[in-house]
């Protein structure tokens, strides 16, 4: 097994001589595994498009199916975060990639009319293991890169994984367009799962310096920033994954699109949202994640307002355009919010009087411990979105009510981002009145 005993990415000499090359190689194959994981996690957003009247499942039942996949994926992120330190990044990637065979083969076996709703529900629940891959992958890659590169690296890793959503939807479109059945789509993915597991075994590494730290986990749980960032990540990633599951169903249910018509549009939003995620990370590296996140929520609110208008007017063209714009903004916000996490804990390390590698180690320790929890809570936002759609369609027959609720939530995210991370700190003269006062923290640059 490939264990690296010494790893110090903040050392410029080490990084230039060997660190960057190793980190980039691990990033590439981490993206591959996470990409397949996202495809399997969101598999049922495509499966429900195949499920016509002969399956006997109404729209509310379909929304509940995809909600359960979201739920398990969110919960799985917590243990997956700590599995990296327990087993090693390479070793756990092999295990996590191989585990994707279970839901894929199960769905391949039962996907036909006459199968009970309970059986479909169990298969949807199993796909949640794909959602866990994100947490282990991000925790692993966070340890490989220096702070100045984390926004780009984490954005690229997450964006490459997120692209698994539109890819499985594109594959579903191709299968539907060719008059193929759902088993054809599932059969396509089984060999790719094997490939991702083998590549992880051959080309990835374990970092011996990454260890589970119970104290760090407890400290992260107690830190209010963990929960504040979880709230903001619900707004960005929760929206991305929730809309990814729901977009096709909304087009079918509210606008009467056929499976082929829905599939031909559904992939566009997740694709653009995935591609722009690294851009969000890069902008956050340059201008500060808090600033980018703040204005991103303004854009998300504006796009949602247009979606509400289009939904009320039943304008398919306006609805589709605004929804795709909303997807793009969720991707941008995903990159900027995740960049904030290591920056926040690095800033706290400086406030504690730590410097250099000691500050960097503290930041890595706390940010690594918090990422799994933040990712899990953020993914639960996807569950909330699908349940909101289910309730909205059951109550009023359209998604308008759900979108109004989302608009209010984005307004709350804007207020929290400004109040916690961008509001001006107390004036220096006020601080000087307290001789023992600690330096004022500012998070505008994180």
């Amino acid at each position: 097994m490939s264990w690296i005993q010494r790893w110090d990415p903040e050392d410029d000499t080490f990084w230039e001589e060997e660190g960057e090359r190793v980190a980039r190689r691990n990033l590439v194959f981490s993206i591959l595994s996470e990409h397949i994981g996202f495809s399997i996690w969101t598999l049922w957003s495509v499966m429900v498009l195949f499920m016509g009247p002969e399956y006997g499942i109404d729209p509310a039942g379909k929304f509940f199916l995809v909600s359960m996949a979201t739920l398990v994926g969110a919960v799985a992120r917590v243990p997956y975060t700590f599995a990296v330190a327990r087993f090693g990044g390479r070793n756990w990637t092999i295990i996590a990639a191989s585990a994707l065979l279970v839901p894929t083969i199960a769905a391949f076996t039962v996907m036909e009319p006459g199968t009970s709703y309970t059986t479909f529900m169990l298969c949807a629940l199993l796909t949640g293991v794909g959602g866990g891959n994100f947490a282990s992958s991000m925790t692993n890659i966070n340890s490989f890169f220096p702070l100045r590169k984390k926004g780009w690296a984490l954005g690229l890793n997450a964006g490459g994984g997120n692209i698994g959503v539109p890819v499985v939807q594109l594959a579903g479109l191709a299968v539907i367009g060719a008059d193929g059945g759902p088993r054809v789509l599932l059969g396509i993915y089984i060999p790719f799962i094997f490939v991702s597991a083998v590549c992880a075994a051959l080309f990835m590494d374990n970092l011996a310096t990454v260890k589970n730290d119970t104290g760090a986990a407890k400290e992260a749980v107690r830190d209010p920033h963990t929960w504040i960032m979880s709230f903001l990540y619900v707004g960005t990633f929760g929206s991305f994954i929730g809309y990814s599951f729901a977009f096709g169903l909304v087009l079918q249910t509210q606008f009467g699109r056929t499976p082929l018509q829905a599939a031909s549009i559904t992939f566009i939003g997740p694709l653009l949202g995935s591609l722009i995620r690294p851009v969000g990370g890069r902008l956050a590296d340059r201008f500060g994640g808090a600033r980018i996140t703040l204005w991103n929520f303004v854009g998300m609110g504006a796009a949602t307002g247009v979606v509400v208008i289009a939904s009320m007017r039943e304008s398919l063209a306006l609805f589709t355009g605004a929804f795709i714009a909303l997807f793009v903004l969720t991707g941008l916000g995903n990159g900027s919010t995740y960049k904030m996490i290591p920056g926040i804990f690095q800033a706290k390390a400086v406030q504690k009087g730590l410097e250099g590698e000691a500050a960097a180690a503290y930041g890595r320790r706390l940010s690594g411990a918090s990422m799994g929890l933040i990712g899990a809570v953020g993914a639960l936002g996807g569950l909330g979105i699908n349940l909101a759609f289910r309730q909205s369609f059951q109550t009023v027959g359209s998604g308008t009510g759900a979108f109004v609720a989302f608009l209010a939530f984005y307004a709350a995210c804007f207020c929290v981002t400004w109040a916690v991370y961008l509001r001006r700190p107390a004036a220096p003269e006020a601080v000087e009145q307290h001789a023992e006062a600690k330096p004022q923290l500012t998070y505008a640059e994180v």
Side-chain angles (χ1 to χ4, degrees), residues 243 299-309 322 326 402-408 410:
Y243 294 150
M300 290 177 68
T304 305
V306 176
V307 168
V308 170
I309 293 171
L326 185 55
F403 284 115
V404 171
F406 305 152
L407 179 58
Y410 298 146

Side-chain angles (χ1 to χ4, degrees), residues 102-116:
V102 177
T104 311
I105 293 174
F108 184 90
T109 303
V110 306
M111 194 65 199
E112 60 186 9
T115 299
S116 70

Side-chain angles (χ1 to χ4, degrees), residues 253-422:
T253 306
Q254 185 166 340
F255 292 95
R257 300 292 91 184
T258 67
L260 183 59
Q261 289 170 331
S264 65
I265 297 173
T266 298
F267 74 92
I268 300 174
L271 176 62
L272 296 178
S274 301
L275 290 174
I276 205 168
R277 181 162 183 161
V279 177
R282 183 75 81 179
L283 289 172
D285 283 338
R286 182 173 180 182
F287 299 107
R291 291 192 183 97
I292 300 301
T293 298
L294 182 80
W295 291 107
N296 192 72
F297 279 125
V298 173
M300 290 177 68
T304 305
V306 176
V307 168
V308 170
I309 293 171
S311 181
M312 294 174 66
R313 294 182 177 179
E314 298 185 356
S315 171
L316 177 60
L318 183 62
F319 180 89
T320 302
F323 210 144
I324 289 173
L326 185 55
F327 263 113
V328 172
L329 291 164
T330 64
L332 195 71
N334 284 341
S336 64
T337 50
Y338 235 77
K339 166 59 173 67
M340 290 172 67
I341 299 167
I344 288 167
F345 289 108
Q346 179 82 359
K348 294 195 72 171
V350 172
Q351 187 204 29
K352 289 176 177 289
L354 301 175
E355 298 178 355
E357 173 55 25
Y362 178 90
R364 286 196 299 270
R365 177 173 172 264
L366 269 295
S367 62
S370 67
M371 277 182 175
L373 184 57
I374 292 170
V377 176
L380 284 174
L383 171 65
I385 280 177
N386 281 283
L387 291 178
F389 277 129
R390 179 177 182 268
Q391 184 62 40
S392 185
F393 277 105
Q394 277 189 326
T395 305
V396 298
S398 78
T400 305
F403 284 115
V404 171
F406 305 152
L407 179 58
F409 185 76
Y410 298 146
C413 288
F414 171 89
C415 293
V416 169
T417 305
W418 175 81
V420 178
Y421 298 114
L422 287 167

Side-chain angles (χ1 to χ4, degrees), residues 121-147:
M121 180 64 69
L122 290 173
C123 289
L125 288 168
L126 287 172
T127 61
V129 297
N133 282 21
F134 172 85
S136 56
S137 180
M138 293 293 274
T139 300
N140 188 38
I141 293 304
N142 181 58
S143 301
F144 274 96
F145 284 83
L147 182 64

